[in-house]
Amino acid sequence: MRLSRYFMPILKENPKEAEIVSHRLMLRTGMIRQQSQGIYSWLPLGKRVLDKVNAIIREEQNRAGAIELSMPTLQSAELWQESGRYEDYGKEMLRIRDRQDRPMLYGPTNEEMITDIFRSSVKSYKSLPLNLYHIQLKFRDEIRPRFGTMRSREFLMKDAYSFDLTQADAIHSYNKMFVAYLRTFDRLGLRAIPMRADTGPIGGNHSHEFIILADTGESEVYCHKSFVDFDIPSADTDFDSVDGLQSVFDKWTSVYAATSEMHDEAAFDAIGENDRLSARGIEVGHIFYFGTKYSEPMGAKVQGPDGKEHLVHMGSYGIGPTRLVPAIIEASHDENGIIWPASVAPFDAVVINMKPGDEACDTTCDRLYVALQNAGKDVLYDDTDDRAGTKFATADLIGVPVQVIAGPRAVAAGEVELKDRKTGARETLTIEAAINKLTA
Ligand code: P5A
């Protein structure tokens, strides 16, 4: 992408309305734009990051055996009257009437709709286990939308829903998502700690929130420090192994971790003072097992091996991609801007032409740009006639992992400079060597 032809409306000043660093940086880099309170557009730079986050979520959901579909944002109130949640949900639910005056709503979650899809087509235990997910917009009319897309009214959620014949099978499905979540957050460059959590309007009593520690987090959390050293399950994890997954779950829940709603002062005090961590955190995911809470009122049953009808046991599993993007920034930035983990960076490299119009600089940059793109890399080419200082500041601000700097003196010697955004380390290489290094 040539910067001269791109749409990246960078702000020169820090926006006053932003209270936390991620919100400030997302506005400054032109990743997002507020359209009305708690409702955002994702501009091209932000959209690239969001798509990369979604791709990782999707890969790990698929690896764990979940199957993607797509459900609408608008739902009929009837379904929610069946489950009993239409009245319970309160003011967070945006209620709408269509031209026939039928009550509709903008979905805050999809337990009812997926249960309806399930009951209409699954009749036998032979179709189980089943886990269906989508990545779709939700709306919750939050009392206090704030911090940009961290807590917005319209937001993206990956929501998965599992169906099983028995409680034991449902716990295995829960553990699959537990492991998938550990892997997902790790690939996003985050250490997320699963914590026992309150279940609120979703229901059930077996639930974990996945929390990133950050001073600006809205949750108050208490845990043992040892989480930092726990191993992440590998990509070749056998998701069909009941005992294997249970042992990962047991390990990750073997030491104390709870949010303030579930906090047990005595258990926390029993941890040695040096191993205790009382901190703030950002909830980036939340998983639930709620048994027959929806299958019972909505009549979602299958025929079991005994020939009898059984209510299915369900769970639901949420991740907030539009919250994850600011959470990653909270965890990875410095005074000059964002430092993207390579896995979600909007571009893999930025090629900085220090003297556009200079034939040698232009030829070198074109060669680098084409070679990196041909190797499948996402490259931003700063071909603008901004001052050098502005180009460096922009490259640092938007946090692309590698900067390839082509200035007239180096280029005359057949060389370019590489700068690592995270460490600041610089090295001068021949153009050939730079291409080899960046495409390796
Ligand atoms: C689980 C999937 C649910 O809604 N039903 C379907 C269950 N869980 S949850 O905890 O309420 O939400 C799941 C995740 O969505 C993100 N999230 C938000 N992100 C941005 N702004 C919001 N206002 C918001 N509300 C929830 C969080 O990451 C949460 O863990």
Side-chain angles (χ1 to χ4, degrees):
M1 179 57 62
R2 284 177 179 270
L3 186 53
S4 62
R5 297 180 199 167
Y6 198 40
F7 180 64
M8 194 171 79
I10 289 203
L11 303 180
K12 292 216 170 61
E13 305 293 326
N14 267 328
K16 286 191 196 64
E17 72 267 33
E19 294 168 68
I20 62 170
V21 67
S22 56
H23 189 195
R24 198 153 57 232
L25 287 170
M26 287 177 78
L27 291 171
R28 274 212 56 197
T29 54
M31 290 177 66
I32 54 168
R33 181 170 197 286
Q34 182 171 315
Q35 300 301 148
S36 45
Q37 196 195 25
I39 301 180
Y40 288 84
S41 290
W42 285 75
L43 305 183
L45 190 74
K47 177 74 164 62
R48 275 180 171 268
V49 178
L50 187 58
D51 284 349
K52 291 200 174 179
V53 167
N54 285 338
I56 290 175
I57 293 173
R58 191 173 272 126
E59 270 178 37
E60 295 302 330
Q61 289 294 293
N62 295 347
R63 192 196 305 282
I67 306 167
E68 187 169 11
L69 46 52
S70 180
M71 291 178 269
T73 52
L74 294 185
Q75 307 189 17
S76 147
E78 258 170 50
L79 278 178
W80 288 66
Q81 283 155 351
E82 271 192 66
S83 73
R85 277 208 294 184
Y86 190 60
E87 303 309 328
D88 291 354
Y89 220 92
K91 289 201 159 204
E92 281 211 353
M93 181 188 275
L94 180 63
R95 295 155 209 259
I96 306 163
R97 286 196 177 258
D98 68 10
R99 69 200 296 162
Q100 270 99 27
D101 207 32
R102 277 188 297 243
M104 312 275 295
L105 56 100
Y106 192 137
T109 176
N110 283 57
E111 278 80 7
E112 284 77 0
M113 188 174 280
I114 200 81
T115 306
D116 178 56
I117 292 173
F118 179 90
R119 72 179 169 189
S120 70
S121 29
V122 181
K123 304 291 174 205
S124 161
Y125 76 96
K126 289 181 189 160
S127 305
L128 305 184
L130 185 63
N131 184 331
L132 300 170
Y133 77 98
H134 67 164
I135 300 179
Q136 177 62 290
L137 289 168
K138 306 283 182 286
F139 193 93
R140 292 182 184 173
D141 206 348
E142 301 265 354
I143 304 180
R144 278 220 318 152
R146 58 180 187 157
F147 302 157
T149 65
M150 189 76 90
R151 176 173 296 283
S152 50
R153 296 199 297 164
E154 189 188 56
F155 60 95
L156 208 53
M157 193 195 290
K158 182 289 297 177
D159 37 329
Y161 304 87
S162 66
F163 300 88
D164 285 280
L165 182 63
T166 65
Q167 175 167 357
D169 292 348
I171 293 299
H172 180 48
S173 293
Y174 186 92
N175 291 345
K176 287 183 191 171
M177 288 291 108
F178 188 94
V179 170
Y181 277 36
L182 292 176
R183 288 192 44 76
T184 302
F185 298 125
D186 183 61
R187 287 185 60 192
L188 297 172
L190 297 169
R191 169 101 342 191
I193 303 175
M195 303 201 180
R196 285 187 344 107
D198 188 29
T199 57
I202 308 295
N205 51 23
H206 185 60
S207 160
H208 290 86
E209 279 181 12
F210 287 75
I211 305 265
I212 310 291
L213 300 181
D215 294 340
T216 48
E218 293 189 283
S219 314
E220 227 180 296
V221 299
Y222 304 85
C223 70
H224 195 287
K225 280 189 183 156
S226 58
F227 278 107
V228 183
D229 307 319
F230 282 8
D231 289 335
I232 300 294
S234 68
D236 58 10
T237 296
D238 178 2
F239 281 88
D240 290 329
S241 165
V242 173
D243 294 344
L245 295 197
Q246 189 61 44
S247 70
V248 176
F249 176 87
D250 289 346
K251 167 79 184 166
W252 278 82
T253 52
S254 60
V255 285
Y256 187 81
T259 59
S260 54
E261 299 93 24
M262 302 297 276
H263 187 43
D264 173 349
E265 201 91 39
F268 187 61
D269 287 347
I271 305 172
E273 205 162 325
N274 291 336
D275 294 327
R276 238 183 263 162
L277 193 64
S278 145
R280 301 202 69 82
I282 302 168
E283 179 207 320
V284 287
H286 198 163
I287 61 177
F288 304 80
Y289 162 69
F290 41 69
T292 57
K293 172 171 175 181
Y294 301 90
S295 55
E296 192 171 340
M298 297 185 68
K301 295 178 194 151
V302 291
Q303 193 176 51
D306 54 5
K308 295 192 183 124
E309 299 253 279
H310 296 261
L311 290 171
V312 286
H313 286 254
M314 292 175 58
S316 73
Y317 315 90
I319 291 185
T322 46
R323 175 177 289 181
L324 268 167
V325 174
I328 294 168
I329 298 174
E330 290 293 325
S332 186
H333 65 270
D334 64 13
E335 63 283 4
N336 297 321
I338 303 170
I339 303 174
W340 291 115
S343 60
V344 297
F347 296 98
D348 300 311
V350 50
V351 174
I352 303 177
N353 188 340
M354 300 286 289
K355 202 171 179 197
D358 175 278
E359 203 183 318
C361 282
D362 289 351
T363 313
T364 299
C365 287
D366 285 347
R367 184 175 157 207
L368 283 159
Y369 184 48
V370 170
L372 297 184
Q373 280 191 318
N374 286 348
K377 300 289 173 190
D378 290 329
V379 190
L380 182 65
Y381 174 17
D382 187 345
D383 59 342
T384 63
D385 41 24
D386 286 338
R387 287 183 306 111
T390 306
K391 293 191 181 207
F392 293 142
T394 299
D396 279 353
L397 183 68
I398 65 172
V400 174
V402 187
Q403 299 170 13
V404 187
I405 302 159
R409 204 172 313 150
V411 165
E415 293 174 337
V416 286
E417 199 181 10
L418 298 196
K419 180 183 153 190
D420 183 298
R421 170 65 181 92
K422 188 170 179 187
T423 63
R426 293 164 178 273
E427 59 179 330
T428 301
L429 295 175
T430 64
I431 296 161
E432 187 87 25
I435 292 172
N436 287 340
K437 181 165 182 170
L438 293 172
T439 55

